[in-house]
Amino acid sequence: MRILVVCGAGASSTFVVQRLRQAAREQGVDVTATVATTQSLTIDLETADLVLVGPHLDEAVDRIRAEAAHVGSIVALMPADVYADMEGSRTLALVREAVAGTPHDTAFAHLRIREDHS
């Protein structure tokens, strides 16, 4: 699953991405997470299955959802305390919830987070 983490300038989302990647590695979850800014979003959406939006962009989430709908990406607003998630496990849980909560009649019915249980 390709995840795009969006914030205003890309600085705070870098920490979220690093922690999310670490949590995914530790739990054997296959994800690719990258940073985007509101300015680069239109281009970056082309490569995203899931868009996690920074809590400070809550007023823009409807616009982002509309843009993401054109390419079939899921959008989830991160909680206000996301930056306190030092291990990334709560952010990874948000990813799981966003994917699980997607209606099965959408383009995301085929998406599953692959896990290595070995």
Side-chain angles (χ1 to χ4, degrees):
M1 166 161 289
R2 298 165 304 181
I3 301 169
L4 190 62
V5 180
V6 180
C7 76
S12 57
S13 57
T14 299
F15 296 112
V16 173
V17 164
Q18 290 172 344
R19 295 169 185 162
L20 175 59
R21 287 178 185 158
Q22 180 63 32
R25 271 193 302 276
E26 289 173 1
Q27 295 184 32
V29 179
D30 183 22
V31 300
T32 302
T34 57
V35 174
T37 65
T38 53
Q39 293 80 18
S40 69
L41 185 60
T42 304
I43 295 166
D44 294 331
L45 272 174
E46 298 294 326
T47 62
D49 298 313
L50 173 65
V51 179
L52 297 178
V53 179
H56 54 289
L57 298 174
D58 61 336
E59 75 286 343
V61 77
D62 288 336
R63 177 186 55 79
I64 293 170
R65 279 194 176 108
E67 288 181 41
H70 292 290
V71 295
S73 298
I74 301 168
V75 175
L77 181 64
M78 293 185 288
D81 65 347
V82 69
Y83 305 111
D85 180 18
M86 301 311 260
E87 294 83 34
S89 57
R90 286 185 18 242
T91 306
L92 184 57
L94 175 64
V95 168
R96 292 176 191 271
E97 291 169 14
V99 172
T102 303
H104 291 284
D105 61 347
T106 69
F108 288 97
H110 68 284
L111 286 181
R112 297 291 176 264
I113 297 176
R114 295 185 304 269
E115 298 185 30
D116 179 12
H117 295 287
S118 51

